[in-house]
């Protein structure tokens, strides 16, 4: 694999990471979409009209319709990382007598991640239909701020149940809607939120595990070579003790693809770790990313009130039932029968 190919792969990795943060944020219009629109307006002065139309159709298909493009990209990125790990890191670590169970751990996490991915992408997230509409309306109370009683969905022509939202990607209303994830090509709702949480957790663990094993291998190489106690001569002929920067440059020249992969998986671990923590916070407080984003407009308070001087609504999350019950609701969504028993 030449250097140009590595650069292209790294660019795809960076774009994938940015897209992951933007698309999975649950916002109505993501930062990535706004950036693309702004860039297209600037480039419209120099790009031919026909090419602009093709570009607009492509962007619309990628970011405003349901498509398998990001699923294919997701699999390709995982294949690239695991291919590099298998053919270089695993082999070198095996020669250095790393413990076999440690080396196999990324593959075990990959198997679990792919299982969660399939379940998350194939499961019904909680599509609101005419047959289940009556029961879903009774599932959650309307808070009077984010969710108002009597609001009709103009597309589905049904009253919106509390905590539901119409997904423009799938053209359906989804019960306890969180967001539409292009990486699994499905909405995240009441009935597949647990699979998405496990998918995100195993994906983070995969990146972290590969990063740790790769770092341990490079450290072992440095220790065995006794390089830290050596010296080098610069272009001016002066001798210097080995520094961290020189060490990194040497490792990159010796193992370019491994160091390149390590930089990416470290970045991915940080990004996914932060997003995983955010989703854990939402689960523990019984919020969806859609509700969290919309609630930022109203602020937070321990009481729901209407201020007489400015008529400003203050939002309070009425769906939180305590940490344990909130977490239980993710892995075992309540049914109408359970609702009646309470």
């Amino acid at each position: 694999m030449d250097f140009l190919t590595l650069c292209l792969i790294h660019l795809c990795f960076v774009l994938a990471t940015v897209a992951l943060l933007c698309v999975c944020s649950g916002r109505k219009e993501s930062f990535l979409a706004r950036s693309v629109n702004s860039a297209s307006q600037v480039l419209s002065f120099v790009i031919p009209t026909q090419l602009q139309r093709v570009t607009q159709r492509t962007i619309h298909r990628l970011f405003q319709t349901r498509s398998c493009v990001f699923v294919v990209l997701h699999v390709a990125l995982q294949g690239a990382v695991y291919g590099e790990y298998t053919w270089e890191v695993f082999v070198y670590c095996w020669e250095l007598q790393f413990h076999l169970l440690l080396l196999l751990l990324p593959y075990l996490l990959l198997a679990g991640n792919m299982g969660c991915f399939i379940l998350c992408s194939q499961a019904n997230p909680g599509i609101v239909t005419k047959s289940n509409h009556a029961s879903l309306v009774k599932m959650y109370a309307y808070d009077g701020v984010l969710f108002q009683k009597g609001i009709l969905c103009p597309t589905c022509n049904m009253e919106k149940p509390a905590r539901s939202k119409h997904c423009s990607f799938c053209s359906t209303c989804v019960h306890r809607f969180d967001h539409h994830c292009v990486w699994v090509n499905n909405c995240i709702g009441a009935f597949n939120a647990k699979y998405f949480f496990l998918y995100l957790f195993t994906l983070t663990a995969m990146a972290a595990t590969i990063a740790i094993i790769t770092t341990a291998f490079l450290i072992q190489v440095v220790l065995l070579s006794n390089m830290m106690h050596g010296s080098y001569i610069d272009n001016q002929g002066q001798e210097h003790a080995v520094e961290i920067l020189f060490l990194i440059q040497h490792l990159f020249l010796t193992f370019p693809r491994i160091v390149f992969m390590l930089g990416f998986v470290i970045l991915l671990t940080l990004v996914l770790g932060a997003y995983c923590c955010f989703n854990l916070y939402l689960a523990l407080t019984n919020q969806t990313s859609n509700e969290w984003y919309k609630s930022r407009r109203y602020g937070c308070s321990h009481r729901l009130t209407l201020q007489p001087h400015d008529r400003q609504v203050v939002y309070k999350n009425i769906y939180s039932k305590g940490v344990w019950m909130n977490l239980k609701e993710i892995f075992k969504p309540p049914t109408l029968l359970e609702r009646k028993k309470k």
Side-chain angles (χ1 to χ4, degrees), residues 24 26 176-180 188-189 275 279 282 287-290:
C24 293
R176 200 183 181 277
F177 177 87
D178 191 278
H179 70 283
H180 181 93
I188 308 303
Y275 189 58
N279 274 267
L282 293 179
Q287 297 182 80
T288 65
S289 59
N290 175 57

Side-chain angles (χ1 to χ4, degrees), residues 6-22 32 70 73 77 183 260 263-265 267-268 271:
L6 286 171
C7 291
L8 291 175
I9 292 176
H10 185 261
L11 178 61
C12 291
F13 284 162
V14 174
L15 291 176
T17 304
V18 173
L20 178 65
L21 284 177
C22 298
L32 182 61
F70 284 96
L73 179 60
L77 292 175
W183 299 104
F260 223 88
F264 167 67
V265 292
L267 174 63
L268 193 63
V271 171

